[in-house]
Amino acid sequence: MAIPERVPMREQDPKVRITNFLSVPLGYSADEAVREAKRCLQCKVPLCETGCPVRMDIKDIIHLIADEKFEEAFFLSKKDNAVPAMTGRVCPQEEQCEGKCILEKKDRAINIGKLFAFVADWAREIDLVNESKPEENGKKIAIVGSGPASITCAVDLRKLGYQVTIFEALHMAGGVLQYGIPPFRLPRDVVDYELSYLEKIGVNIQLNQIVGQNVEFEELKKEYDAIYIATGAGAPRFLNCEGEKLKGVYSANEFLIRVNLMKAYQFPNWDTPIVCGDKVGVIGCGNVALDAARCAKRLGADSVRIFYRRTKEFAPAREEELKHAEEENISCEKMLSPTRVLGNDDGWITGIELVTTKFVGEDKSGRPKPINVEGLKFEVKLDTLIIALGTTPNRLFLSNVPELDTYSWGGIKADENFMTNIPGVFVGGDALSGGSTVIAAMGDGRDAAEAIIKYLNK
Ligand code: FAD
């Protein structure tokens, strides 16, 4: 039997969308979602589920969508995933559930991410979630950070009656979902609605609380039965080259925080603009680099050029993001590495010096290792440079809790049960892995919740 083609996702026209921060995909209609769900072969052994770190019942959810049982589909997806509208939008499904879909080999995988986003959006529109607060069991858990690892751990524990308090350093909860990923990929009404679920079930979220600074870690140890550290990996890596401290040079983290969290994209409605010139260069080619480049375009930059030391096929960014960036006229210039940032007497950036790279062997990631080719240097004029070379765990927290065992790169060490060297103190998400994905952090949160329950009930 011929398998119908994947139902295409309608998107904002690239020419229009570079003038706004609204969602690029327009979402499936009910009819489109049902047609897409009906493509599913309902495999006896659903390989897609093996690719999901939070172990969602993907096959059954798709079956319910195909039968137009959206309400049941939503509750089944919510059982294992507190934020399905968000993961439906930002998960790298092509490497996870969709990557395992048998149809991927024959044609195109079921569009699992967009189907789950559809169902969650449908439920949000009618405010389907109306949960009561589970009764408390007398055990108190503190969670440091409020990103996806924290959210999942908090929800799993709270549902079983644990009293959960999240301490978040920033003035808004959500971690990277709130301050990193831009609204055109993850609309903020979706973020706010899914986060409101935590309060509905009685998770206490304390904002503007920096554990290790205005909240003492020792106090948390005394007051709570267990602690989960989910502080992420929000400290940027730099080039460490001449000129990097010039005005107009940003780390991608700072740039995205100013745009997303401090709402520079809503200037002048928000009085917090950002300086972004006409000619913007971005170093790196991961999701963070692409998010920064696409924000710069939307802030009005004329030319946005990504400089990458490998070729696009080895870039860590999601396929979908690379395609969207290309459609938005953002160039990705390969085999180039920056050597120096150029500036004027007023301390502002004027350009960048780049050198051509070549591949020599492989590096630790298994990708070709780029090295600079001496002598092949040239200059490019720029008004703004954004550096997106990856991140590491925040040293500020670690320096205030020196008794925690850490790796030299800043990750917190844990045993196979996610427990650190301090009994009753657990860790997960990017603070443990050094940088991964939303759903992997959520998987960590789920595993940590199970480990905490075991620890407290042994
Ligand atoms: P985070 O989301 O980083 O949350 C940590 C939280 O802890 C933050 O809110 C921080 O303020 C808080 N915190 C830190 N220190 C303290 C302290 N001392 N006291 C209190 N609070 C503290 N993944 C995908 O799957 N798909 C994508 O498309 C994608 N795009 C990305 C785009 C960007 C710009 C970035 C930066 C990352 C992206 N990722 C993506 C990766 C993904 O977002 C992360 O892997 C994930 O958010 C990690 O979750 P976490 O809970 O460990 O930490």
Side-chain angles (χ1 to χ4, degrees):
M1 191 183 74
I3 300 151
E5 274 181 22
R6 183 186 251 212
V7 177
M9 173 56 49
R10 288 166 293 114
E11 291 177 344
Q12 271 202 81
D13 183 308
K15 285 199 193 82
V16 177
R17 71 186 191 228
I18 56 166
T19 64
N20 66 54
F21 276 76
L22 301 174
S23 179
V24 171
L26 298 175
Y28 277 146
S29 66
D31 173 58
E32 288 168 332
V34 170
R35 272 197 288 133
E36 179 61 16
K38 282 188 172 159
R39 292 178 64 233
C40 176
L41 300 178
Q42 291 289 304
C43 304
K44 249 195 190 138
V45 182
L47 293 179
C48 52
E49 293 179 9
T50 64
C52 176
V54 293
R55 310 182 280 276
M56 293 179 80
D57 298 320
I58 298 173
K59 172 180 161 179
D60 291 344
I61 296 167
I62 293 178
H63 192 251
L64 289 166
I65 298 174
D67 280 352
E68 296 183 42
K69 294 181 179 156
F70 302 145
E71 183 169 332
E72 286 168 56
F74 171 70
F75 283 116
L76 190 55
S77 66
K78 195 84 179 165
K79 171 173 79 66
D80 292 312
N81 182 340
V83 291
M86 294 206 251
T87 51
R89 286 171 164 88
V90 303
C91 264
Q93 287 98 5
E94 64 279 7
E95 289 166 20
Q96 295 173 331
C97 50
E98 290 177 21
K100 305 259 178 190
C101 174
I102 202 108
L103 282 185
E104 184 63 21
K105 290 186 192 89
K106 300 189 180 183
D107 174 37
R108 281 294 303 277
I110 300 292
N111 199 340
I112 299 172
K114 298 291 190 290
L115 281 178
F116 285 20
F118 159 76
V119 150
D121 289 349
W122 177 88
R124 178 165 48 90
E125 268 160 35
I126 56 169
D127 196 17
L128 193 60
V129 181
N130 193 14
E131 299 219 7
S132 54
K133 295 184 176 144
E135 251 179 56
E136 289 179 2
N137 66 11
K139 296 249 164 63
K140 291 170 70 180
I141 318 293
I143 302 186
V144 190
S146 66
S150 158
I151 292 169
T152 308
C153 185
V155 169
D156 282 8
L157 291 171
R158 185 67 202 99
K159 278 181 178 169
L160 293 173
Y162 293 83
Q163 190 186 322
V164 180
T165 303
I166 293 178
F167 296 87
E168 168 54 52
L170 298 172
H171 64 281
M172 289 176 98
V176 170
L177 302 169
Q178 186 73 263
Y179 78 73
I181 303 179
F184 52 83
R185 285 214 290 134
L186 191 53
R188 289 308 183 258
D189 54 339
V190 171
V191 177
D192 293 345
Y193 183 79
E194 291 213 317
L195 288 179
S196 71
Y197 173 69
L198 273 74
E199 296 188 39
K200 277 184 185 157
I201 61 168
V203 174
N204 176 10
I205 304 180
Q206 305 266 322
L207 301 173
N208 299 309
Q209 303 298 325
I210 309 176
V211 175
Q213 288 221 315
N214 56 326
V215 177
E216 290 297 330
F217 192 69
E218 280 308 309
E219 291 304 312
L220 293 187
K221 273 170 47 189
K222 279 185 214 145
E223 204 182 318
Y224 291 86
D225 297 292
I227 300 175
Y228 183 48
I229 303 172
T231 43
R237 287 205 176 93
F238 288 97
L239 292 165
N240 297 319
C241 72
E242 185 189 323
E244 199 173 21
K245 298 218 163 80
L246 287 162
K247 287 179 266 185
V249 180
Y250 297 92
S251 72
N253 284 52
E254 179 188 348
F255 187 80
L256 289 169
I257 284 179
R258 284 173 181 271
V259 174
N260 298 320
L261 189 75
M262 297 173 69
K263 312 277 183 208
Y265 77 96
Q266 289 186 4
F267 179 78
N269 292 337
W270 282 68
D271 196 14
T272 38
I274 187 169
V275 176
C276 181
D278 261 354
K279 296 188 205 72
V280 177
V282 179
I283 308 294
C285 200
N287 284 323
V288 181
L290 267 82
D291 282 344
R294 298 177 69 199
C295 282
K297 193 81 192 174
R298 284 160 174 77
L299 290 171
D302 222 20
S303 117
V304 181
R305 301 168 69 175
I306 291 175
F307 303 112
Y308 185 44
R309 61 193 181 135
R310 293 191 176 88
T311 54
K312 230 174 8 177
E313 58 185 313
F314 298 109
R318 291 189 62 195
E319 248 174 65
E320 188 182 42
E321 304 317 320
L322 283 164
K323 175 177 158 281
H324 282 157
E326 222 164 84
E327 289 167 357
E328 291 165 12
N329 225 355
I330 293 167
S331 66
C332 179
E333 296 167 44
K334 61 184 181 191
M335 306 301 288
L336 294 173
S337 178
T339 42
R340 164 164 94 94
V341 186
L342 312 168
N344 61 21
D345 292 343
D346 296 330
W348 280 90
I349 177 178
T350 56
I352 188 170
E353 181 184 78
L354 294 153
V355 64
T356 304
T357 59
K358 65 174 182 183
F359 288 147
V360 178
E362 277 188 359
D363 66 10
K364 273 187 265 167
S365 69
R367 291 176 296 170
K369 183 178 171 186
I371 60 160
N372 294 354
V373 183
E374 287 309 318
L376 289 181
K377 284 186 182 164
F378 65 100
E379 292 179 4
V380 169
K381 283 194 175 139
L382 292 178
D383 309 309
T384 301
L385 178 69
I386 305 168
I387 299 162
L389 298 177
T391 52
T392 58
N394 192 327
R395 306 274 171 165
L396 188 74
F397 171 71
L398 299 175
S399 63
N400 286 307
V401 191
E403 68 268 35
L404 268 178
D405 268 356
T406 56
Y407 296 100
S408 54
W409 51 269
I412 299 171
K413 289 186 182 173
D415 65 15
E416 65 282 6
N417 295 316
F418 295 90
M419 191 152 84
T420 66
N421 60 309
I422 307 174
V425 177
F426 296 77
V427 63
D430 284 2
L432 177 69
S433 66
S436 176
T437 62
V438 169
I439 199 80
M442 291 171 65
D444 277 3
R446 160 137 312 155
D447 292 341
E450 279 171 14
I452 290 170
I453 293 166
K454 249 194 215 156
Y455 168 79
L456 292 177
N457 293 292
K458 73 176 175 227

